[in-house]
Structures are given as structure tokens and as C-alpha cells.
Amino acid sequence: MLLSLSTTFYFQPYYSLLAANSTDLKSSRVSLSINENIGVVGIKSSADRADISSSLMPKGRHHSEDVINYSKNGTGNMPLSDKSSVRPAALTIKGRHDAIDESSSSKNGNARVTCSNTEYKPENWMLPGQAEDTLNQLNLAIVGHVDSGKSTLSGRLLHLLGRISQKELHKNEKEAKLQGKGSFAYAWALDESTEERERGITMTVAVAYFDSKKYHVVVLDSPGHKDFVPNMISGAAQADAAVLVIDASVGSFEAGMDSAKGQTREHAQLIRSFGVDQIIVAINKMDAVDYSKERFDLIKQQLGTFLRSCGFRDSSIILIPLSAMENQNLVASPSDVRLLSWYHGPYLLDAIDSLQPPMRDFSKPVLMPICDVLKLSLGQVSACGKLEAGALRSGSKVLVMPSGNVGIVRSLERDSHACSFARAGDNVAVSLQGIDGSLVTAGGMLCHPDFPVAVAKHLELKVLVLDVTTPILIGSQLEFHVHHAKEAARVVRMLSLLDPKTGKVTKKAPRCLTTKQTAVVEVALRGPVCVEEFSSCKALGRVFLRALGRTIAVGIVTRIIEEQD
């Protein structure tokens, strides 16, 4: 069964172009050091990226390997006293599961739910047993410029692996031909809405599943059109790895790399900023260039340089020439002699199995950003998202933020099937009871009642400015995105410019920010969002700023600032 992420977005969280210090390991990745997690455009050497990633962390707040460390006081790696100057305790939990004293988190811009001094200890059922014979889950985002063939590639792969029946494919072929779009049959397996089929583009993120030898793969087929980048972000932010689809046709690859309109560039920057450090580059439509090795080498050289500037390491980039329409190099080695004569690397499915398995925070308190909310019968509500940490099962109590109300898990669905429990990394629909459905909103959060997240609307950010045509000024109106939350924002203060290599302040109180500059700024949001400092929780501390339909800056939350009465 295929699902779709609606405009409110189905399933889960965000992004990590900016990173932690060089001693940290990203909590959801294996073996790749955080000093490569910066993704700064224009930095050419890995040494430079390592220097910058260290500089992007708040000074004095570097932590060890356990980055998302919910400590005894439940406020991250720093004691509550260290944070009291920037976070008021507007909400207070009076017991482990007692009622919440709501001093109105929606009215107060910044709020923290304080918790008891209880060290979190996971129960045995929350941790995967060694005897469990299940495939590791891999959330795989399919991204790239519009019309590069992402949905066709995904649909063809699903069909070859038996996830789409011949009957369904035949139905799609018949309907596509009636509309004069015979080549869209595979894409229509994922682009199911009438508008998507009429316009011939993906508008929402479609979710599908298949099993490889090594992984249970969750496919997140993302829209490539620039108008739907926010939808792409909400889906692809859940990714553990990505497939960047390139149209090899002459002119099409170049259009995707255009600095003004090319979505290849923006998608690559965004996917890196989500914390994705493993990428497969599927150079599609090779049949259109007669499987030319020269064309492949040209794309490899130009794209490789750009991906390295985004922070991807050569060892984490796999480039594969293929043709989705002609079924070349997808689930088996190519049969066309024009490709077989010079390419001897892995095929696509083989490359997916070569990816490093993601690490999961099973032993941490539950944390699930809400991507979408489904209204069920009898007043019940279901919150959809990806579990960033911890585990849930029927009967579990969860704190719903930003409202501060406690609900009870009634039932769970994973991959559209009922399940008894869910663990970190799973995409789930959580049916809740004992709570008013209007209090459960997309962009909100499910968390442990004793280990809540902060709610704030005044933040200090450390940002990297991308390719902009207009400088960012004090007073600039922006769209602020963090996990699945989006709020109107305004730059209220520019604190400093930073040296990209050392992280040291080079200028205080700059008047404007331009392309490739790294800076510390303060932003005020129109409404409060669930957020954490990046040093405490990466998933809730990665942000990006958009304006005029383009992503203009990416960054991390360095401080949550108390609103003064």
C-alpha cells in the first residue's frame, strides 16, 4: 500500500547541514564523524569542513558521543541551572504522570516543562533483542530536480521487487495512455492524486516500502518542483540516506545545477543539512545519451565537486548510471552492451544494501515530532511521524506539546499495519485517547511526560547563508522551519560574523549577511514552536530559513531566549 504525505505532511523530521564538534558522532549514523556534518557550501577541503563544524557549535557546550543525552533533570546535557537564565518554567509537571499546570504555552512565547529529578531507564521491551530476526529499517529519500524521473525510478523499482502488481501496472498504463502520458505508468504508482497526474509532477511525498537483502526500505519519493520544496523537506527530513536522481539528458542536468532555479543544488544542500551523510547519485535517462561514458564522466566530475562542497565525503558518494524506463542497472547488472562495456560497478539495489545501517536511540526517552494528524471516528485522533528516540506501545503515556496535555496511546500502526510496539526509526501512526484532538497538531511533539521539550519563539541561531541575491538584514521577514513546524519569523538582531574555518568572531553587529557568510543571529517567531538547542537534541535543533520560495540559510539553535514581560 502506498501512502502520501499531504500538504500538512505525513511522517517525519529535519535537518543537519550544520553540525556538532569533531568528537561527536551523529546519533542516527554509524562510523561517519560529525566533523563532516557541516555541509558548508564553498569549503573545498575536508580539513576546512572539520574546522567549521567545530566552530558552528556553541562555545563551551561541546558534548561527548552521546549527543542527545537526556540527563537527570531532563533538559539535555546541561544542568537546569545553566539554562534557567534563558528558559522560564512556565509549565510544571507535579508528579511523574500527574496533571500539567498550564500557564498557557500558546500564549507565552517561551515555555519549558520542568520535570522530576528521575534518571531515565528504558524498560526491556523498548530495546531490540538479539534474537529478533528482522531487517534493519532504512528511510530512503528520493530527491532531485523536477522531471529527473524520481517517481518513475521508484515505481519501476517497486514493480521489479514485487511491490506493485502487474494488474495495477496495467491499469496505470491504460489510464496514462488515455491522457497521452504513456511513459508515466510507473510514476503513477506513486503519484496517485488527480492533480498530480494532470500536471505530470509530484506534489506530495509518497511513501512506499520494499525489502532488500539487508534492509526494510521506506521509500520517500519527494517532489522536485520548486513550489513544493516545503513538502519535500517534511518528508525527506526523515531520511537515513538519499538517492539523488539526475537527468543525464543534455541540457537537463545543467538546468538542475542552475544556481537560480536548479533543484538539484537545493535538494543536495537540504538533504545534507538534514544530517544525511550517505548519498547514491542515480544518473538516470542514460538511454537518452546512448549510455555515453563521456557524458557520465562529465556529470560525475561537476556534481562530485558540488557534493564535496556541500560536505559529502567521496567515500559516502556512490554514482550509478542507469535507465529506469529501460530497466538498466536497477536490480541487476546492466544488459545493454553500451553500458556494460564500460561500467562495472554496483547496480542500484546493490548500492542500497552497501549503505551503512543507521544507529537508533532506543534507550532514550520517547520523542516524536508530529508530521500529520488524522482525525478518526468518535473524536479520536492519530498523530503520524517518525520516532526519533525511545519506544511506544499501547497504554504508553505521552506528553503532547506544545499544549502540555498527557494522552494515552490507544493503538499503533507501522507501514500501514497494526503493531504492538514501535521503536526509534519507525514511521508510525499513533492513535491517542484521553486528549482533545484539537490539541494534537502537525509541527507539535509527542514526548515522555517526565522529559519534555521546550516551547519557544525567540531563538539565537548560528546560520550559514546559501546563495542569495538579496542580503539578509535586521527586520527581514522569513519562513522559519524546524522539524515539521513552520512559522513566520523576523531577524531582530545580528550578533556577529564568524570565521568559517576557526569559528572566531570576525565582526560584531554586522549590518547585513550575504552569500556564504556564517553568522550568529536572533530571530523572533510569530508563534511558539517545539525546539531544543542543537547541543541537546539534533533533531529539534536543526533549522532553515526560506524567503521568496528559496532556502536562503541553514543553521542550528544555539540558545533559547527568554521572553521578557
Side-chain angles (χ1 to χ4, degrees), residues 351-364:
I352 292 172
D353 273 336
S354 73
L355 297 172
Q356 293 295 313
M359 288 182 62
R360 307 296 189 193
D361 281 333
F362 302 113
S363 61
K364 303 294 177 63

Side-chain angles (χ1 to χ4, degrees), residues 320-482:
I320 302 177
L322 53 82
S323 171
M325 286 302 297
E326 295 195 354
N327 186 21
Q328 292 295 318
N329 222 20
L330 298 183
V331 298
S333 297
S335 57
D336 193 301
V337 67
R338 292 174 295 177
L339 180 56
L340 189 60
S341 63
W342 58 267
Y343 180 75
H344 308 289
Y347 48 86
L348 179 59
L349 189 61
D350 203 22
I352 292 172
D353 273 336
S354 73
L355 297 172
Q356 293 295 313
M359 288 182 62
R360 307 296 189 193
D361 281 333
F362 302 113
S363 61
K364 303 294 177 63
V366 67
L367 185 67
M368 190 189 93
I370 300 173
C371 183
D372 196 13
V373 176
L374 307 178
K375 303 295 184 181
L376 307 177
S377 59
L378 302 176
Q380 294 181 355
V381 65
S382 182
C384 305
K386 173 189 169 187
L387 275 174
E388 283 295 310
L392 286 174
R393 66 179 176 182
S394 297
S396 296
K397 291 185 179 181
V398 291
L399 183 66
V400 180
M401 296 296 284
S403 73
N405 292 80
V406 173
I408 299 174
V409 177
R410 181 176 179 270
S411 61
L412 294 163
E413 283 191 8
R414 181 176 59 238
D415 298 352
S416 303
H417 296 95
C419 58
S420 57
F421 62 88
R423 297 188 179 116
D426 289 340
N427 291 350
V428 292
V430 184
S431 177
L432 299 172
Q433 63 184 16
I435 188 170
D436 185 345
S438 65
L439 300 176
V440 185
T441 57
M445 194 74 52
L446 300 185
C447 53
H448 194 290
D450 292 326
F451 298 88
V453 300
V455 179
K457 66 175 185 179
H458 193 177
L459 304 168
E460 179 187 277
L461 310 176
K462 191 170 291 188
V463 298
L464 167 70
V465 182
L466 302 180
D467 299 320
V468 295
T469 55
T470 304
I472 301 173
L473 307 171
I474 294 177
S476 291
Q477 303 291 325
L478 308 168
E479 288 180 7
F480 174 90
H481 294 252
V482 59

Side-chain angles (χ1 to χ4, degrees), residues 3 6 13 20 45 55 68 110 138 223 228 239 245 251 257 260 267 296 339 348-349 388 467 472 479 520 522 546:
L3 302 176
S6 64
S45 72
S55 71
I68 308 177
N110 289 44
L138 182 74
F228 305 107
V245 184
M257 292 297 291
H267 281 209
F296 174 81
L339 180 56
L348 179 59
L349 189 61
E388 283 295 310
D467 299 320
I472 301 173
E479 288 180 7
V520 178
E522 287 183 16
R546 288 176 57 81

Side-chain angles (χ1 to χ4, degrees), residues 17-161:
L17 191 111
L18 306 176
N21 67 5
S22 58
T23 62
D24 292 338
L25 289 180
K26 187 175 188 303
S27 59
S28 60
R29 302 288 179 271
V30 174
S31 79
L32 296 177
S33 61
I34 275 298
N35 62 2
E36 293 296 332
N37 239 10
I38 171 67
V40 173
V41 179
I43 303 304
K44 297 182 179 180
S45 72
S46 60
D48 288 343
R49 288 194 296 273
D51 289 339
I52 294 171
S53 66
S54 179
S55 71
L56 281 164
M57 285 300 296
K59 298 302 180 184
R61 295 185 184 179
H62 291 198
H63 300 289
S64 60
E65 187 170 314
D66 190 10
V67 179
I68 308 177
N69 177 21
Y70 293 78
S71 60
K72 292 184 179 181
N73 52 43
T75 60
N77 287 346
M78 290 177 284
L80 186 60
S81 59
D82 289 346
K83 295 194 175 187
S84 59
S85 62
V86 294
R87 289 184 184 171
L91 303 181
T92 305
I93 290 186
K94 298 181 177 174
R96 288 190 60 84
H97 298 295
D98 292 335
I100 308 292
D101 173 20
E102 293 185 48
S103 342
S104 161
S105 64
S106 60
K107 294 179 182 178
N108 185 356
N110 289 44
R112 157 65 70 181
V113 182
T114 58
C115 57
S116 59
N117 278 334
T118 303
E119 183 176 1
Y120 180 75
K121 294 182 179 179
E123 300 176 43
N124 289 336
W125 66 269
M126 298 178 177
L127 306 175
Q130 295 182 353
E132 292 184 19
D133 186 20
T134 57
L135 294 171
N136 285 329
Q137 179 164 309
L138 182 74
N139 297 317
L140 187 67
I142 313 296
V143 300
H145 190 64
V146 64
D147 292 334
S148 59
K150 297 182 296 298
S151 295
T152 296
L153 175 62
S154 300
R156 188 71 188 246
L157 190 61
L158 291 168
H159 177 250
L160 292 170
L161 296 174

Side-chain angles (χ1 to χ4, degrees), residues 12 16 299 357 401 543:
Q12 196 251 261
S16 157
I299 294 172
M401 296 296 284
V543 303

